[in-house]
């Protein structure tokens, strides 16, 4: 079973060991070099004045991503944050922040700016965490300029420093909320696979 969540829902969640020790909190999500999956997380200490930690958390070390916490086996699951960041950009991808980037169709239409990333977490345990869509502040091209919409992504995505490219047909699968968005992503990807 899989579930959808916005990346903003994960930030600031505590990282807890199986023994119940609260060891950190999620600071930022680190995406894989191709931007299609979550590679891991940068961390911050717990508490009001705690700053960033020098350790990160690779997705492969996550035991479970729950509604209230990210579970790890123990503190040994943490890795130097520089190693995590190097790994995410190893194949030339940025692994960087897409917030604020413009989403364009392959026909040149500006659909809006990314305000959040939609993730699909598969499996009862940590499984796979894929990037399946963006929440965008839509442009007038979507007949709802300024409103927030969800747009599905293909399995692979073309990206430059400031722009993200999606097929024009993605606009047929835009949704307003997460309810039904998983089906829209599946239908969109099936349509793309059938057209190849």
């Amino acid at each position: 079973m899989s579930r959808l969540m916005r990346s903003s829902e994960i930030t600031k969640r505590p990282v807890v060991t199986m023994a119940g020790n609260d060891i950190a909190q999620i600071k930022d999500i680190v995406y894989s070099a191709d931007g299609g999956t979550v590679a891991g997380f940068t961390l911050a200490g717990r508490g009001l004045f705690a700053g960033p930690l020098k350790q990160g958390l690779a997705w492969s070390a996550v035991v479970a991503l729950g509604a209230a916490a990210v579970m790890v086996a123990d503190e040994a699951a943490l890795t130097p944050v520089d190693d995590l960041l190097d790994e995410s950009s190893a194949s030339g991808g940025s692994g960087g922040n897409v917030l604020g980037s413009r989403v364009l169709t392959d026909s040149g239409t500006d659909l809006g700016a990314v305000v959040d990333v939609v993730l699909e977490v598969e499996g009862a345990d940590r499984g796979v965490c894929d990037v399946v869509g963006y929440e965008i502040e839509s442009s007038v091209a979507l007949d709802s300029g300024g409103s927030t919409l969800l747009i599905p992504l293909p399995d692979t995505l073309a990206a430059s420093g400031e722009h993200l490219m999606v097929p024009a047909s993605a606009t047929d699968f835009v949704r307003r909320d997460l309810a039904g968005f998983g089906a829209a992503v599946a239908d969109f990807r099936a349509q793309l696979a059938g057209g190849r």
Side-chain angles (χ1 to χ4, degrees), residues 134-155:
Y134 291 134
E135 184 169 26
I136 62 171
E137 184 176 324
S138 65
S139 70
V140 293
L142 290 173
D143 295 327
S144 55
S147 65
T148 303
L149 299 173
L150 302 173
I151 188 158
L153 297 178
D155 289 328

Side-chain angles (χ1 to χ4, degrees), residues 8 16 26-27 33 35 50 60 81-82 90 103 118 126 131 133 138 141 150 176 178 188:
S8 60
V16 181
I26 302 298
K27 183 176 179 294
S60 60
V81 73
D82 290 339
V103 178
V118 180
R126 68 173 172 78
V131 176
S138 65
L150 302 173
R176 294 197 178 277
L178 288 178
F188 172 59

Side-chain angles (χ1 to χ4, degrees), residues 74-100:
D74 54 36
E75 288 190 47
L78 303 184
T79 184
V81 73
D82 290 339
D83 292 351
L84 180 63
L85 296 175
D86 288 345
E87 186 177 315
S88 76
S89 61
S91 64
S94 68
N97 191 353
V98 297
L99 299 182

Side-chain angles (χ1 to χ4, degrees), residues 160-184:
S160 69
E162 298 175 3
H163 299 97
L164 307 166
M165 189 76 62
V166 297
S169 62
T171 60
D172 297 333
F173 300 92
V174 168
R175 298 293 182 268
R176 294 197 178 277
D177 56 42
L178 288 178
F181 187 63

Side-chain angles (χ1 to χ4, degrees), residues 40-52:
F41 309 98
T42 62
L43 303 172
R46 297 291 287 152
L48 186 59
F49 298 109

Side-chain angles (χ1 to χ4, degrees), residues 26 28-32 37-42 56-60 62 84:
I26 302 298
D28 292 307
I29 297 175
V30 178
Y31 297 100
S32 63
T37 60
V38 171
F41 309 98
T42 62
L57 176 62
W59 178 255
S60 60
V62 172
L84 180 63

